[in-house]
Amino acid sequence: MSEIPASQRDSALGRELASVREKNARLTRALATAREKLTELNIVLDSLADPPLTHVAVLAREGTRADVSNHGRRQRVSVASTAASIAAGDYGLINSDLVLVAQVPPPSTGETVGVKEILPDGRALVETSATGSIILTLTPRCHPVGAGDTLLADLQARVGLERVERADVEQMLTPEIPRVSYAEIGGLDHHIALIRDTVEMPFRHPDLYRSFGLTPSKGILLYGPPGCGKTLIARAIASSLGGVEGAYFLSVKGPELLSKFVGETERHIRALFARARELAAEDHPVVIFFDEMEALFRTRGAGISTDIETLVVPQLLAEIDGVEGLDNVIVIGASNREDMIDPAVLRPGRLDRRIAIDRPTRDGARDIARIHLAASIPFSTRLLRHAATPAGARDHLVDHLIDVLWQTEPDNALVTVTWASGRQTTGYMRDLVSGAMIAGIIQRAKHHAIKDVLTHADDGLDIRHIDRALAQEIGESAALAGAYDPQQWGRTLGMRGERVTEVIPISRALD
């Protein structure tokens, strides 16, 4: 048997050595990986063996000691260096040795409470749904905060966590500064003069009023049929009171304040007046305007299914009485059912000026129509040939509109009204005319004119567009009258005295 050459033996040994080295490297890597995994497992085991940490609210901090609320129980604990920056109102972790070892973010959920008052030391008196009123310590995230705001709170710890912005309440408490002049209100010159004497004179001459021993009126009620300018007047008052800067205008419709939750409506009222006092403290006039006032402050005891007014009305009375210390706040109410408002709201010393905003007279209706029908709009060539000038065309259309509205011809009849005595009367457009109706007719006419311009049927506003809009308004008004309860319909439209028992629309086809 021949010997294997040395060169071949060396080559085989080299290959074997390389294989061993490769296996050794793989084993080394496997051991390293196993070591890392063992280290990780040891860390996990160590962490699992750690004692539990408890979330607590910090109530007070004095050096290396802190008072915390541990599930509603007050405890004094030590503060570790790892939580050196923690302060009252923050949240932290304590270990089994009752040492505050870390600061953590506060909870993002909890119960919401309403702020009634901010105490001099910075704490807050709040109202809860379950326990009534309690005092909370506030964290920095609560600021800025004031009466009427909503807070997220940890009631066990008695800590307010943060201020919660609620869109419905924030919108109500956000003031606007209207830019409406009295010149934009037509047909109500006498009413405007009376309102200015009642509202603006005390604001303009407070010292003179005091010298005579008079106090400014806290509020006024504007009442009358719908669409006759009550809201517009309120906005004009705010514009006039504030001069160039304008007055703050907090506008609330009655139904916006209503809530099915007990105490929420009253809280909203308190928040509204608190906001008004805050704004008035800046020596700036503030107008609180309640639209549809009868929806919220109706006569106590008149509720059909609930008597929410027995809680809401006293809250309003208390707030209005609290306005007496401020010279810059006035309350304006608007209603087309003043007979439903609680008498205590309207007594002298509260809303003690009650001004009827009636339907416009013929001349007043003409003024309203001129405001809504500018001489700068496009008029038809046919109308301009007849009237010669744009101003003449405008006046011609206005006169035609008012003449038709005040006709007592059969074509202009709306309804047959039967009264409790049995007598019957015919209701015409002039009996139901309002500023909103006139504006609506003119808007309809403009819409018809635009459609005709687009189809090349006409080149501007013409009398026939006014006639078409009038016919539509007459038909729709008659149809709506028949859909309402006769008695409620009569009261809403300002028909006082004898009770309406039946309303029969006079049928006609709409154009």
Side-chain angles (χ1 to χ4, degrees), residues 163-234:
R163 181 172 175 268
V164 179
E165 290 194 5
R166 295 176 54 180
D168 55 341
V169 179
E170 293 298 325
Q171 182 178 4
M172 181 183 69
L173 299 181
T174 302
E176 59 174 313
I177 299 180
R179 299 298 181 188
V180 178
S181 70
Y182 289 117
E184 297 176 48
I185 306 173
L188 295 173
D189 293 343
H190 171 72
H191 302 81
I192 290 172
L194 179 60
I195 291 168
R196 299 190 74 169
D197 286 346
T198 303
V199 177
E200 293 189 23
M201 283 182 62
F203 275 84
R204 307 286 187 212
H205 311 285
D207 295 335
L208 185 60
Y209 265 69
R210 292 191 189 97
S211 68
F212 277 86
L214 292 177
T215 57
S217 176
K218 295 179 185 177
I220 62 174
L221 175 70
L222 308 177
Y223 68 94
C228 291
K230 297 183 288 295
T231 302
L232 199 61
I233 289 176

Side-chain angles (χ1 to χ4, degrees), residues 55 89-92 103-109 139 141 152 159-162:
H55 287 258
D90 292 336
Y91 272 72
Q103 182 176 348
V104 294
S108 59
T109 59
T139 66
R141 293 202 299 172
L152 176 67
V159 172
L161 300 175
E162 63 178 308

Side-chain angles (χ1 to χ4, degrees), residues 29-182:
R29 288 195 296 270
L31 289 172
T33 302
R35 186 180 298 109
E36 290 176 359
K37 290 183 178 180
L38 286 172
T39 303
E40 292 175 0
L41 289 173
N42 285 331
I43 293 173
V44 172
L45 287 173
D46 289 341
S47 65
L48 292 175
D50 284 343
L53 300 177
T54 304
H55 287 258
V56 294
V58 179
L59 304 178
R61 170 77 186 276
E62 296 178 4
T64 59
R65 304 287 285 176
D67 289 342
V68 301
S69 175
N70 187 354
H71 294 87
R73 185 175 59 177
R74 191 180 183 103
Q75 293 178 322
R76 174 158 289 196
V77 300
S78 299
V79 180
S81 59
T82 52
S85 62
I86 203 164
D90 292 336
Y91 272 72
L93 296 175
I94 60 172
N95 60 19
S96 57
D97 297 323
L98 297 183
V99 176
L100 195 59
V101 295
Q103 182 176 348
V104 294
S108 59
T109 59
E111 185 170 350
T112 57
V113 296
V115 178
K116 296 177 65 175
E117 183 181 353
I118 301 298
L119 303 180
D121 60 2
R123 294 176 300 161
L125 176 65
V126 302
E127 187 174 48
T128 70
S129 58
T131 59
S133 297
I134 61 174
I135 295 177
L136 300 181
T137 300
L138 302 181
T139 66
R141 293 202 299 172
C142 293
H143 299 289
V145 63
D149 287 338
T150 300
L151 297 179
L152 176 67
D154 182 343
L155 295 184
Q156 273 195 331
R158 297 293 194 267
V159 172
L161 300 175
E162 63 178 308
R163 181 172 175 268
V164 179
E165 290 194 5
R166 295 176 54 180
D168 55 341
V169 179
E170 293 298 325
Q171 182 178 4
M172 181 183 69
L173 299 181
T174 302
E176 59 174 313
I177 299 180
R179 299 298 181 188
V180 178
S181 70
Y182 289 117

Side-chain angles (χ1 to χ4, degrees), residues 411-423:
D411 288 344
N412 215 25
L414 283 179
V415 292
T416 299
V417 180
T418 303
W419 302 86
S421 62
R423 69 185 179 93

Side-chain angles (χ1 to χ4, degrees), residues 450-480:
I450 289 173
K451 290 179 65 176
D452 283 350
V453 168
L454 291 175
T455 58
H456 305 290
D458 216 326
D459 57 355
L461 186 63
D462 196 74
I463 283 182
R464 65 190 185 90
H465 299 129
I466 296 289
D467 288 338
R468 191 186 307 172
L470 276 165
Q472 289 179 325
E473 183 65 37
I474 291 172
E476 291 179 5
S477 296
L480 284 174

